[in-house]
Amino acid sequence: MSSQQDFRAATRQWLESNCPESMRTPMVQDEIVWGGRNPSFKNPDSKLWLERMADRGWTCPTWPTEYGGGGLSKDESVVLRQELARINARPALTSFGIGMLGPALLEYGSHAHKLEHIPKIVRGEIRWCQGYSEPGSGSDLASLSTKAELQGENYIVNGSKVWTSYADKADWIFCLVRTDFDVPKHSGISFILFDMASEGISTKPIQLISGSSPFCETFFLDVKVPTANLVGRLNEGWTIAKRLLQHERTMISSFGLASGQSDRGGTTSTVASVEGAAMHYRGDKDSLSDPVLRDEIAQFKIDSEAFAYTSQRSIEESRQGQGPNATSSMLKNYGCELNKRRYELLLKAIGSQGLGWEGEGFADDELLVTREWLRSKGNSIEGGTSEVQLNVIAKRVLGLPDILSISKK
Amino acid sequence: MALVLSEDQQLLKDAARNFCQQRSPLNVLRELRDSKDETGFDAAIWKQMLELGWAGMAVPETYGGFQFGYGGLGVVLEETGRTLTSSPLISTVLICATAVNELGSDQQKASLLPAIVGGELLMSLALDEHSLHNPSHIETTASRTSDGFELNGSKTFVLDGHVAKKFIVVARSSGDRDSKEGISLFLVDSGSTGVTVARTRMVDSRNAAKISLDKVTVTEAAVLGDLDKGFVGLDRVLDIARIGLAAEMLGSIREVFERILEYLKQREQFGVLIGSFQGLQHRAANMYTEIELCKSVVRAALSALDDSEKSGQGIAELASIAKAKLSEVFMLVSNEGIQMHGGIGMTDEFDIGFFLKRARVAQQFLGDASFHRDRYASLKNF
């Protein structure tokens, strides 16, 4: 038996005896475990599951054991993922620490930074948020103006961030700040970490077109940050920032947004699949009676399948080390556009029952479709707009001349 | 399912690429067109392709083939697609050798397959009867005689029909015009009494033929596969052919896109390279993404063909996904190929137009995108 088969057998056995039964059911939104200083576990099994997985470092399977990670090879982590999927295990921990900060810190952080922060990410003890976008800096992120000025042993941070997911619930923030105003915009940015409990920080939730959201505005007024919290070198934060954005795109894909699944999944409701919904609301039995919609749905599903094969291929290629680096941009862009198409088709499929806002007259899953459709419009904006992703592909993959070179400053 | 080429497939692909680029560049097709060549392909190049074993790529060793699988034939087709190589590879090898291998009796296989692999026999499938692909709509009749059948009807879009020595004729031995029941396949010599072949020159400079069958008699031994129940087998053969054709289309698509990129990096207007215009960059990036999707679909479909555990339903879905997707993207890329080259793209002297022409023929052949979306929806029960 190969060592990989051994690993699979051992993993399967361990999961059998350690994954609680209730953790083998589809995830419910309010039972997602985000961790943090004051974690909430609506289901007590979630706590047990997190502790058991974190003990083995399997919340972050490929991270080094030195910092509490699982220390698995890529192949082993694939096996683990397959075995988790086999029993429909819920993610033990969901966090921006795992998906975004951790990988960047492992690449660019000092040993001290890693020792301090990585184990807590693995165990879900600290919940992180991302301080990137600002009111005046969206797609042109590098124009950001939140500033950090050196004063003795501290930086004094002033400014504001926007679209900070869960800023009101996070314990720490990884934040882009301007540390030099007199150089080209990309060369004066630094990457710092600080405690959200620091004095001078306030947050305000943002209401979206789809209703309430995890997004916040975050304000900094003379916030003191020890200089030791600078990651990488002063004024060289843009490199880390870009790398982290790649991880973010990959994370967005792994959330299922860009998985190529043409169904909404995890539900037996009549609106689980577009074609199922279309037939249900028309009273169709054998085939969809609206030929135009049928063609559109077929096209959508074919594109979804093609996209799922492409995601799968990019995993196979990255294992063989031959994948293009900007693949994350391509997957992010196409996956998000697909998701928007899915919801437009769902609305067509359901008709006026898919247009309720609240209250009587609509089933819960119908009301959810309305909100999800509205929310999906943000998919191609957050994590870099589709247009920015296309710029990245044109420049990094296709090698076309840089259109931004004329507006560098 | 392997979505990345194996080492052997990669080596084969590199070799095929070298061969096509050196021996069979696009100019060969242009010369065949301009000289109004009788056969429509270059016999010397075809002979070399036979020597490379391309005609036996997916044929079992028992019948003189090389058992390299459809994955092997697929990478070869992809490379011939890059140079728009015109050869009997699709009509004879991809379609007819597959039909004989999938449906034939041991005797039929033993007599036909080695002849195809050796290049002595060119064959063609006579299926379509109207200008739109609809494989269960068969009006050509096969009526019982004392010792066999009599065939009557007409066929169109028969690839390389003007040079084929043998046809596989799809005919109705029973049932209604549109029924999937009652369809049978017959091996018919092109020289048989009552067979009339009229060559049709297609816009892509390849050839097809219209065929009429007037009281053509064949024996019982000419039936290929099950009598009256030929549709299921035919559909499987067509699926393999659709996937192989998609592989060829992928090669053409990639070639057009590379030519576009090269031009965007070299053509200057308004004092800058036109490739610096965002209006063109985003279109290029979108094409790139669509082409990546095409690659994945073709790889998935080819590897499914070589996977003995894959169900017929699974193959059928992949074939329709591949043909629908590749048809759409070939249309997109070939149209952009003209537009992004501007005026020079409209001239016959420039090669890009050949791809536009090939795109439309390849799209139509064996079902266009809307045919396959409809088929996919039916396979998925909606």
Side-chain angles (χ1 to χ4, degrees), chain A residues 33-186:
Chain A
V33 175
W34 289 90
R37 279 176 188 144
N38 308 302
S40 74
F41 296 99
K42 203 178 162 221
N43 177 343
D45 280 348
S46 304
K47 185 165 187 282
L48 195 63
W49 179 223
L50 171 60
E51 283 166 1
R52 287 174 177 172
M53 284 290 277
D55 275 345
R56 313 200 109 201
W58 280 5
T59 48
C60 306
T62 59
W63 294 8
T65 48
E66 186 186 3
Y67 305 118
L72 300 188
S73 67
K74 269 195 171 181
D75 284 340
E76 285 170 336
S77 76
V78 171
V79 171
L80 174 60
R81 199 163 55 223
Q82 288 167 342
E83 290 301 316
L84 286 165
R86 199 182 69 88
I87 59 168
N88 297 316
R90 294 182 182 183
L93 178 63
T94 301
S95 85
F96 300 143
I98 296 176
M100 295 196 269
L101 177 64
L105 212 51
L106 285 170
E107 195 173 341
Y108 295 100
S110 66
H111 180 60
H113 284 141
K114 293 179 198 171
L115 271 185
E116 183 186 353
H117 298 296
I118 298 287
K120 291 179 191 163
I121 293 174
V122 174
R123 307 199 57 86
E125 290 166 2
I126 290 293
R127 186 169 177 177
W128 288 88
C129 65
Q130 178 189 35
Y132 266 45
S133 295
E134 296 182 5
S137 303
S139 290
D140 184 12
L141 181 61
S143 71
L144 59 90
S145 59
T146 291
K147 61 181 173 182
E149 290 162 306
L150 191 62
Q151 202 176 86
E153 290 299 293
N154 292 305
Y155 292 113
I156 306 300
V157 178
N158 278 289
S160 67
K161 294 286 175 181
V162 72
W163 304 120
T164 333
S165 302
Y166 300 107
D168 51 346
K169 298 192 169 67
D171 308 309
W172 276 64
I173 186 169
F174 50 93
C175 195
L176 296 178
V177 290
R178 183 154 303 284
T179 38
D180 192 338
F181 281 84
D182 301 323
V183 290
K185 62 185 178 184
H186 296 88

Side-chain angles (χ1 to χ4, degrees), chain A residues 382-402:
Chain A
E382 58 209 324
T385 62
S386 288
E387 289 72 15
V388 166
Q389 310 304 338
L390 293 175
N391 287 346
V392 172
I393 295 168
K395 197 166 130 188
R396 304 247 175 264
V397 184
L398 306 181
L400 291 171
D402 188 359

